[in-house]
Amino acid sequence: MAAAAASSSSSSAEQDALKALTFQRLHPKTYLERFLSENVRPDGREFDEWRNVSVNVGSISTADGSALVRLGSTTVVCGVKAEIAEPELDRPLEGFLVPNLDLPAICSPKFKPGPPTDEAQVLSDRLNEVLVSSGVVSTKSLCIEPGKAVWVLYVDATCINYDGNAFDATLLAMVAALRNTTLPKATYNEETKRTICSRKVREPLQIGRLPTSFSFGIFDGTHLLADPTSFEEPLLDTTVSVVVDESGGLTSVMQLGLGVVGGDDVLRKCIDAATECWRTSRKNVYGTS
């Protein structure tokens, strides 16, 4: 009798779960609204609650630097490869930093096989903007010989599991990978016009600021959701990303999407929440004191 009752209870729970999943797929906005009306999100978090984050570096032995970041279930791996090239004529002292994010079909059903998606290209442009504007790596520090040879750093990130907020996770992975990067000591031979790299001596990159991003989704013009998931993202009016540096100072504020933010008070809430999260849980995310 007890076994039959347990089996019946299990079967009923499975049917309820199936009904909830079906309703979620058919009416996603209503599904989210019902949770938010109870002041909770579908994954059990509060509106201002962030998912756990972990950063591991040096996992790719064939790269000059690497990092693996998990933000909730979103997982991004990043590798840095260095090559030598000639600088641009109008910038003889500056090397190159080339970030790129790939969102392959394997990471989520929402992405299809083929060329890079528009979302991946937009995110890559945003990441490049943050890395350059915040001065993570000075391009002048990548100069080997003025006008002759400079380093080109290809910072390639791949999302291997997508559950929303790829921007925050990827920026963490890219900055952590750059901090983990070492380059062979390089000297330019004026006689042979070639650059010689040491096989034994490697030098770390000269790292400047350490930006960290905190993204918020605005739903229905009123609800501010920290660290949105892949289910929440398509339903949002817009997304606001606040980037702070290693001292908690504001670096930039970016809007991803065409929705209306709703005024300066919303931006101020985002900035305050981002600063608080950095202070309480992300201050040492890169291993700095």
Side-chain angles (χ1 to χ4, degrees):
M1 290 291 291
S7 176
S8 176
S9 176
S10 175
S11 176
S12 177
E14 290 177 358
Q15 290 179 0
D16 290 343
L18 180 59
K19 289 179 181 178
L21 182 60
T22 302
F23 183 78
Q24 176 185 357
R25 291 183 176 180
L26 294 177
H27 308 284
K29 186 173 182 180
T30 304
Y31 182 86
L32 180 58
E33 287 173 341
R34 291 187 179 181
F35 273 93
L36 299 184
S37 66
E38 299 295 331
N39 294 319
V40 69
R41 295 159 71 175
D43 61 0
R45 286 185 293 154
E46 297 181 4
F47 294 176
D48 60 350
E49 187 176 347
W50 300 82
R51 293 175 290 179
N52 292 330
V53 61
S54 66
V55 179
N56 297 289
V57 298
S59 54
I60 304 177
S61 60
T62 55
D64 294 302
S66 63
L68 174 69
V69 168
R70 291 186 177 92
L71 180 61
S73 295
T74 296
T75 306
V76 177
V77 61
C78 180
V80 179
K81 288 296 288 184
E83 293 183 0
I84 296 174
E86 291 185 6
E88 294 181 348
L89 293 176
D90 57 341
R91 296 178 179 177
L93 299 175
E94 297 185 18
F96 304 93
L97 191 64
V98 187
N100 181 67
L101 170 62
D102 185 23
L103 298 173
I106 193 175
C107 75
S108 171
K110 70 176 288 188
F111 303 117
K112 306 301 180 186
T117 63
D118 291 340
E119 182 174 350
Q121 293 179 3
V122 169
L123 287 174
S124 293
D125 290 341
R126 296 284 187 175
L127 290 162
N128 180 64
E129 182 180 337
V130 171
L131 291 175
V132 172
S133 64
S134 61
V136 178
V137 176
S138 170
T139 52
K140 290 185 177 180
S141 70
L142 301 177
C143 180
I144 300 172
E145 181 70 21
K148 303 294 184 179
V150 295
W151 287 110
V152 183
L153 300 183
Y154 294 97
V155 189
D156 293 318
T158 300
C159 182
I160 55 180
N161 190 62
Y162 183 88
D163 189 26
N165 203 4
F167 182 79
D168 288 8
T170 305
L171 183 61
L172 281 173
M174 287 185 169
V175 175
L178 287 169
R179 289 190 77 239
N180 179 247
T181 298
T182 58
L183 301 177
K185 184 174 179 60
T187 54
Y188 183 78
N189 190 312
E190 194 65 47
E191 294 182 359
T192 61
K193 308 296 182 183
R194 291 185 176 182
T195 302
I196 302 173
C197 295
S198 171
R199 293 184 177 182
K200 297 181 179 180
V201 182
R202 298 185 68 90
E203 300 173 333
L205 282 179
Q206 297 178 25
I207 301 296
R209 301 166 79 184
L210 301 173
T212 306
S213 176
F214 301 87
S215 293
F216 303 83
I218 300 176
F219 176 75
D220 206 20
T222 55
H223 298 292
L224 190 64
L225 307 178
D227 188 14
T229 64
S230 58
F231 169 70
E232 295 167 342
E233 282 182 338
L235 306 174
L236 300 174
D237 301 331
T238 189
T239 302
V240 176
S241 295
V242 179
V243 181
V244 300
D245 62 16
E246 72 283 356
S247 61
L250 181 64
T251 298
S252 65
V253 178
M254 297 180 294
Q255 180 180 350
L256 306 176
L258 301 177
V260 178
V261 171
D264 293 339
D265 57 332
V266 175
L267 290 177
R268 174 48 56 186
K269 288 180 181 178
C270 292
I271 294 172
D272 291 343
T275 305
E276 177 66 15
C277 181
W278 173 85
R279 186 183 65 81
T280 57
S281 63
R282 303 276 179 91
K283 189 174 183 179
N284 298 319
V285 71
Y286 295 118
T288 56
S289 57

